[in-house]
Amino acid sequence: MTIRSLIGSTLLGLALVLSPVGDSAWAQNLRVVKKGTAETLDVPMNRAIVVESEQPFAELSIANAGIADISSLSDRTIYVLGKAPGMTTLTLFDGAGNLITNVRVRVAPDVTEFKERLRQILPNERIEVRTANDGIVLSGTVSSAAKLARALELAERYAPERVSNLMNVGGVQQVMLKVRFAEMNRSVAKNLSASLGFSGGDATGGINTLNNQLSLSNALANNIPAVQSNTGAILFGFGAGSTQVRLLLEALEAKGLARSLAEPNLSALSGQEATFLAGGEVPIPVPQDDGVVAIEYKAFGVEIDFVPRVVDGDLINLEMAAAVSSIDTSSNFTINGDTVPSFITRQTSTTVELRDGESFAIAGLIQDDFTDLSNQIPWLGDVPVLGALFRSAEYQREQSELVIIITAHLVSPTRGEALALPTDRVKPPSEFDLFMNGRTARTERVGNGAASEVAKQDFGNSYGYVLD
C-alpha cells in the first residue's frame, strides 16, 4: 500500500506540475464522495480522475480491475483510471474495517473530442451524443440527410461499427415530381403522275405512271371512264369516231400534324420509390418449353418510376425512369395463331440534381425522314414539256420531336377542406335545364372557404398539394 501510495502521489504531482490549466483542471477531475451515500462516478476510458473522500479510509477495493484501476494518493484521495467500458464498484473501509461507502464506477468511451469535432463540422445542428457500453449513440434533429450522413461518418471514426443512429431529419421531406411529355409529329407528302390511254375499234393501249408502276398496257384497265372521282385527279378526253383518247393527271399533296402531351404528377417521401402508370396492359402469349402458352401482360401508356432524395436543404437528387408507349397495329405478328401487337416506345432513365421549383429537360429527340422518288418512261420522260406526261414523282417527309421536362417541388400535406377536384364545379342539370334550356351541366358553389375558390379555377391549375 505504501509503494502504491508513493507512485500515486508522484503521478498526481506530475499531473499538477505539467497541467497547463492548473487549478481549473484539478477542479474538473476532482470528485467528492460522502459517507453512506451511493455515488456514481463517470470515468472516460483511458483517462483518470481523482476522488476525494470526506472521511479518511484505510483500505480500498475494486470489484473488477479490468474495468478500472485504482491507487491511493493519500488517506482521503484516490486515483481512478478507466480501462474498459463497463460498470464496477469501488469500496472504501476505515481503520476498523467498517464500510464507509460504495461508489459505482462507470467507464465509457471518451467522446469529448468527438463532440468538439462535431460542433466544428456541423455547428448549427442539434445533435446529442451519448455513450452506451462501448459504442456511441447519436440523437436529435438534423436539417438534411447529407448532414446526417456526415455525422454518422465522423462517429464511425471514433467507434467503428458501434454507432447507434437515433437522429431525425427535419424540414420538408416529401417531393412532388411534375413530368411533361411533349411530342409533335409532322408529315408532308406530294405526288404527281400521269396516265395516257386510247382505244380505237378493237385496239386499246396506254401508258401508266400511277403509283410508280410503268407499263405499256392500258393505263385505265381497258375501260376509259367518262368521269374521274379520284382525289386530286383530272381527266381529259376527246374522241373522233370510234377512237377515244383519255389523259389522267393526278396531283396530290397531303399534310398532317399531330400533338401529344401528358403531364403526370407524383409525390413520394425522400428515399422511397414511387411508380405511376396511366394507360393499360395487353395480354401477350408466351410459349413455354412444355407446349403450354402462358400469358404475360405488357403495360403501355405513360410510365414513371422515380426515387427522390432530399440531399441538403432544398437540393433534390432524383433518380428516375420515364416512358411513353402506344400500340402499333401496323406491325403486328402472329404466334401459334394468336395476333401479338407491337409497341412504339420512347423511354429514358437518368439521375439529376435540382433545387425546389427548378426544371430540367432530361430527354429530347428530333427525327427527320425524307423520301424523294421519281420514275419515268425511258426517253419519253426526257422530252421537254410533254415529258411530264410520262413521269411520276413522289415526295414524302416525316418529322417528329419529343421533349421530356421534369420539375421537382418540396411539398407538405394540407387540410382536406383546402383541396377540391375539377369535377366539384360540375353538377348534373335539372330536367328543366336539360330539356328546356339545353344545358348538359350546371355550375354551383361548393361549400365555403378555400375549397370553393379552388373549384372555380381553371382545369390547368394545380390540385392536391400546397407548394412551399
Side-chain angles (χ1 to χ4, degrees):
M1 187 72 179
T2 304
I3 298 177
R4 295 185 62 183
S5 300
L6 179 61
I7 295 175
S9 301
T10 304
L11 292 175
L12 179 61
L14 290 175
L16 294 175
V17 173
L18 299 177
S19 174
V21 291
D23 295 339
S24 177
W26 171 266
Q28 292 177 2
N29 292 327
L30 181 63
R31 305 292 174 89
V32 178
V33 296
K34 299 180 180 179
K35 179 180 179 181
T37 303
E39 299 282 348
T40 299
L41 186 65
D42 292 322
V43 182
M45 189 171 62
N46 297 324
R47 296 185 62 179
I49 64 172
V50 176
V51 179
E52 184 175 356
S53 175
E54 283 188 334
Q55 181 177 346
F57 58 84
E59 185 178 353
L60 298 173
S61 67
I62 189 76
N64 189 342
I67 295 178
D69 193 10
I70 59 174
S71 62
S72 60
L73 304 179
S74 66
D75 58 353
R76 291 177 180 267
T77 308
I78 310 166
Y79 182 85
V80 182
L81 174 65
K83 299 175 63 177
M87 181 80 75
T88 187
T89 303
L90 171 64
T91 305
L92 285 71
F93 299 94
D94 59 14
N98 298 321
L99 176 66
I100 298 177
T101 186
N102 284 323
V103 180
R104 292 188 297 269
V105 179
R106 181 169 53 200
V107 179
D110 185 13
V111 294
T112 303
E113 182 182 358
F114 170 63
K115 291 181 179 180
E116 294 177 357
R117 296 292 180 266
L118 199 60
R119 285 193 296 268
Q120 294 173 359
I121 297 175
L122 303 173
N124 299 321
E125 302 300 323
R126 296 178 298 173
I127 302 177
E128 298 180 1
V129 181
R130 297 181 178 88
T131 58
N133 199 5
D134 60 343
I136 296 177
V137 178
L138 300 180
S139 60
T141 302
V142 292
S143 58
S144 67
K147 293 181 179 179
L148 184 146
R150 294 174 191 169
L152 293 177
E153 183 179 358
L154 181 61
E156 286 289 338
R157 297 284 185 177
Y158 290 86
E161 300 182 358
R162 300 190 309 276
V163 179
S164 298
N165 176 25
L166 302 180
M167 293 184 292
N168 297 319
V169 179
V172 178
Q173 295 296 310
Q174 294 183 118
V175 179
M176 184 185 76
L177 188 66
K178 180 178 181 181
V179 184
R180 287 177 287 173
F181 297 87
E183 184 175 14
M184 185 74 71
N185 295 312
R186 295 178 293 269
S187 62
V188 176
K190 297 180 181 180
N191 293 278
L192 177 62
S193 60
S195 296
L196 179 64
F198 64 90
S199 65
D202 295 332
T204 59
I207 300 175
N208 180 24
T209 62
L210 292 174
N211 299 324
N212 301 324
Q213 296 176 1
L214 307 179
S215 67
L216 294 177
S217 62
N218 184 7
L220 303 179
N222 297 321
N223 184 14
I224 300 177
V227 296
Q228 171 61 29
S229 59
N230 291 348
T231 302
I234 301 176
L235 179 64
F236 299 95
F238 62 91
S242 62
T243 302
Q244 295 183 12
V245 179
R246 293 291 187 267
L247 175 62
L248 179 63
L249 298 178
E250 288 196 60
L252 181 63
E253 180 178 2
K255 296 181 179 179
L257 179 64
R259 174 179 180 264
S260 62
L261 178 66
E263 293 191 11
N265 295 343
L266 189 61
S267 300
L269 189 66
S270 176
Q272 301 298 317
E273 182 180 7
T275 61
F276 178 91
L277 172 62
E281 293 184 339
V282 176
I284 305 295
V286 180
Q288 305 296 318
D289 295 337
D290 54 1
V292 178
V293 178
I295 298 297
E296 293 184 0
Y297 287 88
K298 167 67 176 178
F300 70 94
V302 178
E303 300 178 74
I304 300 175
D305 296 328
F306 82 102
V307 180
R309 297 180 179 88
V310 181
V311 180
D312 191 2
D314 60 349
L315 183 62
I316 303 170
N317 178 281
L318 192 62
E319 179 182 350
M320 70 166 298
V324 180
S325 58
S326 58
I327 299 176
D328 183 14
T329 57
S330 62
S331 58
N332 294 342
F333 59 97
T334 302
I335 298 179
N336 294 337
D338 297 322
T339 301
V340 180
S342 299
F343 296 88
I344 299 175
T345 304
R346 287 81 71 199
Q347 62 183 6
T348 181
S349 177
T350 185
T351 302
V352 296
E353 280 192 355
L354 64 169
R355 296 192 179 276
D356 178 28
E358 293 182 342
S359 298
F360 214 111
I362 63 170
L365 171 65
I366 297 179
Q367 185 174 355
D368 192 351
D369 296 331
F370 176 83
T371 302
D372 189 1
L373 184 62
S374 177
N375 292 326
Q376 67 178 25
I377 301 296
W379 304 295
L380 295 180
D382 297 329
V383 177
V385 183
L386 294 179
L389 299 177
F390 308 99
R391 289 194 303 265
S392 68
E394 181 180 354
Y395 167 85
Q396 186 173 358
R397 185 174 186 180
E398 295 183 357
Q399 294 177 312
S400 64
E401 183 175 358
L402 171 67
V403 177
I404 302 178
I405 300 175
I406 61 170
T407 304
H409 293 283
L410 293 175
V411 296
S412 57
T414 185
R415 298 185 61 86
E417 58 267 18
L419 306 177
L421 297 174
T423 55
D424 289 347
R425 70 168 71 89
V426 180
K427 298 297 179 182
S430 64
E431 292 184 359
F432 180 83
D433 286 338
L434 177 62
F435 294 108
M436 301 301 297
N437 299 327
R439 297 176 181 174
T440 58
R442 60 187 174 92
T443 303
E444 66 178 21
R445 187 178 183 86
V446 184
N448 297 315
S452 59
E453 296 300 325
V454 175
K456 293 190 298 182
Q457 298 176 5
D458 293 333
F459 286 94
N461 290 326
S462 301
Y463 292 90
Y465 281 88
V466 176
L467 304 182
D468 289 341

